[in-house]
Amino acid sequence: MGTYTFVVQYKGGIYIEQIKSNTLLRAFRQWGEIFSYSEYISEEGGLIIRETIKDSYTRPYSIDEIPNVWFWSCLISRDKLILHIIKTVVRTNKLKELIGLNRNGKESIK
């Protein structure tokens, strides 16, 4: 299972959400369901997102030469929604110890 970070630019705001999923496409559709009902978007905008993401041809585009990063956008009325998706590595405590970070995320001196 992977963790995907969704970074949305819409109407002057930036909104970030993380979703755990087995595939990018499932995470993308789950994000659409979550964001489309959020307080940041109108009812009409939410409907546009849900209908667009339901379409089997709608997929995020991979960004050339940058692995694990995707892009998607849509128009909601006159406002452009821009979405970047990053497959994210979540650090475990063991990994933090290996790279010298304490539990607060600060470098530890050994």
Side-chain angles (χ1 to χ4, degrees):
M1 180 163 301
T3 299
Y4 297 89
T5 301
F6 292 78
V7 181
V8 179
Q9 292 174 279
Y10 180 65
K11 286 189 167 184
I14 297 176
Y15 311 96
I16 301 171
E17 181 81 37
Q18 284 192 321
I19 296 174
K20 290 183 181 188
S21 181
N22 291 328
T23 69
L24 167 67
L25 196 53
R26 281 186 185 161
F28 176 59
R29 291 196 171 128
Q30 190 176 351
W31 165 83
E33 283 296 314
I34 292 167
F35 191 78
S36 68
Y37 287 107
S38 73
E39 63 188 88
Y40 310 114
I41 195 154
S42 68
E43 215 173 287
E44 175 192 0
L47 181 61
I48 289 168
I49 290 173
R50 287 190 302 280
E51 291 300 314
T52 303
I53 286 180
K54 265 192 224 175
D55 184 332
S56 62
Y57 295 105
T58 300
R59 298 179 186 282
Y61 300 97
S62 61
I63 297 179
D64 293 340
E65 299 178 20
I66 303 176
N68 299 319
V69 178
W70 298 267
F71 168 83
W72 181 77
S73 67
C74 73
L75 256 165
I76 299 172
S77 297
R78 294 184 178 150
D79 299 302
K80 190 167 199 171
L81 181 144
I82 299 170
L83 171 67
H84 288 90
I85 308 166
I86 302 105
K87 187 167 185 185
T88 309
V89 175
V90 179
R91 291 183 176 169
T92 64
N93 284 336
K94 185 65 177 167
L95 181 58
K96 286 180 184 180
E97 289 172 25
L98 290 173
I99 61 172
L101 297 178
N102 64 23
R103 290 179 189 237
N104 298 325
K106 297 182 180 175
E107 249 183 80
S108 60
I109 301 171
K110 293 185 180 184

